[in-house]
């Protein structure tokens, strides 16, 4: 009887592995197929799109949509500006999050629970768009990159994850560093941060993606075309293409592309940089999120 049970365990494990692989494969397909559809639309001709012939492969290959996206020479300026903005925002956000999360792990910090209640409160309640706009205006940050950095510099959700991760580090390591004469900052830099690379990489990706995809704050706070980030620039391209398409439908002119193809090309153009960065951080992603979410 015991031997039969032992022999059945490998079979059960193989079944579980097969189910897990099936779930992973289905999930990958559900994530990959919509993106393939977007790429196919961006590379298909007007006739194929209007005839609803495009699925996951381009039909009647046409690069005209990408030509429209790159037609404005300032789009490369917006791309470079967005890269600089994203890097700066991510660095400052991580610095502020680390400086806030590390002290909150110490029991000797007075008012620690009050600070946590205030931080959690901001996750569910906010003043709204109008008070935020008035505040940015009063601080003189309109039409400046600071308006895209300062208001959303710290995420309460990311801060709580980082605090939980710091709390999971054994206190004995820090105590040993203090006995060796290390300061609080030295312990943070030499002990805590190197052990927190999964959380730091994961939250850096969160901050970078949120800033890269940020659109509404730029639409509200930026009117200088020289400071348009990539998402706002692509929004203008899509809006202009829709106006042109309506004009063509009225018989004023004929165009070679349709708004759907331009939207698809814009999505691909804006997504590629993040897709390039993600594989470098992917190995930290799962462990960083799980440790920060489960422990504490």
């Amino acid at each position: 009887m015991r031997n039969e049970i032992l022999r059945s365990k490998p079979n059960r494990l193989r079944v579980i592995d097969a189910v897990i692989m099936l779930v992973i494969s289905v999930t990958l397909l559900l994530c990959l197929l919509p993106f393939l559809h977007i790429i196919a639309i961006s590379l298909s001709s007007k006739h194929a799109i209007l005839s609803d012939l495009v699925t996951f492969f381009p039909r009647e290959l046409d690069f005209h949509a990408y030509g429209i996206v790159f037609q404005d020479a300032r789009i490369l300026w917006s791309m470079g500006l967005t890269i600089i903005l994203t890097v700066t925002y991510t660095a400052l956000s991580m610095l502020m999050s680390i400086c806030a999360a590390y002290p909150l792990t110490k029991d000797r910090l007075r008012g620690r629970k009050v600070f946590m209640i205030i931080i959690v409160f901001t996750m569910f309640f906010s003043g709204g768009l109008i008070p935020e706009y008035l505040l940015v205006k009063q601080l003189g940050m309109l039409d400046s990159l600071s308006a895209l950095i300062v208001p959303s510099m710290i995420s309460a959700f990311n801060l709580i994850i980082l605090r939980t991760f710091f709390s999971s580090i054994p206190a004995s390591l820090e105590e040993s560093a203090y006995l060796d004469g290390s300061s609080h900052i030295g312990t943070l830099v030499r002990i805590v941060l190197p052990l927190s690379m999964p959380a730091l990489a994961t939250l850096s990706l969160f901050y970078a993606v949120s800033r890269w995809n940020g659109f509404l704050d730029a639409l509200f706070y930026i009117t200088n075309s020289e400071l348009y980030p990539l998402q706002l620039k692509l929004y203008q391209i899509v809006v202009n293409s829709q106006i042109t398409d309506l004009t063509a439908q009225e018989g004023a002119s004929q165009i070679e592309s349709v708004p759907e193809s331009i939207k698809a090309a814009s999505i691909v153009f804006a997504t590629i940089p993040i897709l390039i960065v993600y594989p470098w951080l992917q190995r930290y992603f799962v462990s960083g999120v799980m440790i920060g979410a489960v422990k504490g």
Side-chain angles (χ1 to χ4, degrees):
M1 184 68 178
R2 183 179 179 182
N3 293 333
E4 293 179 358
I5 295 176
L6 292 176
R7 284 195 300 268
S8 65
K9 285 186 176 179
N11 294 330
R12 294 177 183 177
L13 292 177
R14 283 194 291 268
V15 172
I16 293 175
D17 290 340
V19 172
I20 292 175
M21 291 302 298
L22 178 61
V23 172
I24 293 175
S25 301
V26 172
T27 304
L28 289 176
L29 285 176
L30 292 177
C31 295
L32 183 61
L33 292 180
F35 190 65
L36 291 178
H37 180 63
I38 293 295
I39 295 177
I41 291 177
S42 67
L43 294 173
S44 299
S45 66
K46 175 182 177 181
H47 175 267
I49 296 173
L50 295 178
S51 301
D52 198 19
L53 300 175
V54 183
T55 53
F56 304 115
F57 300 96
R59 300 292 297 269
E60 302 175 7
L61 194 63
D62 188 354
F63 294 94
H64 185 70
Y66 288 96
I68 294 177
V69 172
F70 286 100
Q71 187 175 2
D72 189 349
R74 288 179 296 181
I75 196 169
L76 296 179
W77 168 263
S78 296
M79 168 70 83
L81 180 66
T82 305
I83 292 175
I84 296 174
L85 177 64
T86 301
V87 172
T88 304
Y89 172 82
T90 303
L92 292 177
S93 296
M94 288 303 302
L95 176 62
M96 297 299 293
S97 298
I98 291 171
C99 292
Y102 184 64
L104 290 173
T105 62
K106 307 304 176 186
D107 295 333
R108 58 182 177 272
L109 176 65
R110 295 182 179 180
R112 182 168 67 109
K113 294 183 179 179
V114 176
F115 293 145
M116 284 304 304
I117 292 174
I118 294 174
I119 292 172
V120 173
F121 183 84
T122 62
M123 294 178 61
F124 303 99
F125 304 97
S126 65
L129 177 60
I130 295 178
E132 184 176 343
Y133 178 85
L134 294 177
L135 177 61
V136 172
K137 182 179 180 181
Q138 291 295 325
L139 294 175
M141 293 191 299
L142 292 179
D143 267 342
S144 66
L145 294 181
S146 59
L148 307 180
I149 297 176
V150 176
S152 58
M153 185 178 295
I154 297 183
S155 167
F157 175 77
N158 293 344
L159 176 60
I160 293 173
I161 289 180
L162 189 59
R163 171 191 170 275
T164 306
F165 198 104
F166 286 164
S167 299
S168 68
I169 297 176
S172 58
L173 295 177
E174 299 185 43
E175 293 174 358
S176 300
Y178 293 143
L179 292 176
D180 291 337
S182 177
S183 62
H184 292 288
I185 297 178
T187 302
L188 174 64
V189 174
R190 298 186 182 94
I191 304 296
V192 177
L193 294 184
L195 294 176
S196 304
M197 284 306 297
L200 298 179
T202 301
L203 297 185
S204 296
L205 182 63
F206 284 169
Y207 278 123
V209 171
S210 65
R211 180 61 271 164
W212 183 268
N213 293 332
F215 164 72
L216 285 179
D217 53 352
L219 182 63
F220 296 145
Y221 303 144
I222 303 297
T223 58
N224 185 359
S225 60
E226 296 296 328
L227 298 178
Y228 282 173
L230 180 61
Q231 303 297 336
L232 186 55
K233 192 67 179 178
L234 296 179
Y235 167 78
Q236 288 188 331
I237 293 175
V238 171
V239 170
N240 292 336
S241 69
Q242 290 175 336
I243 295 174
T244 305
D245 188 60
L246 290 174
T247 304
Q249 290 178 5
E250 294 175 357
S253 61
Q254 295 294 327
I255 58 174
E256 300 177 6
S257 186
V258 291
E260 285 72 16
S261 63
I262 299 175
K263 290 178 185 177
S266 302
I267 292 172
V268 174
F269 180 77
T271 305
I272 286 177
I274 291 296
L275 292 179
I276 295 175
V277 172
Y278 180 79
W280 298 93
L281 302 177
Q282 187 272 340
R283 60 175 178 167
Y284 299 110
F285 190 80
V286 175
S287 60
V289 172
M290 291 303 297
I291 293 179
V294 174
K295 292 189 177 181

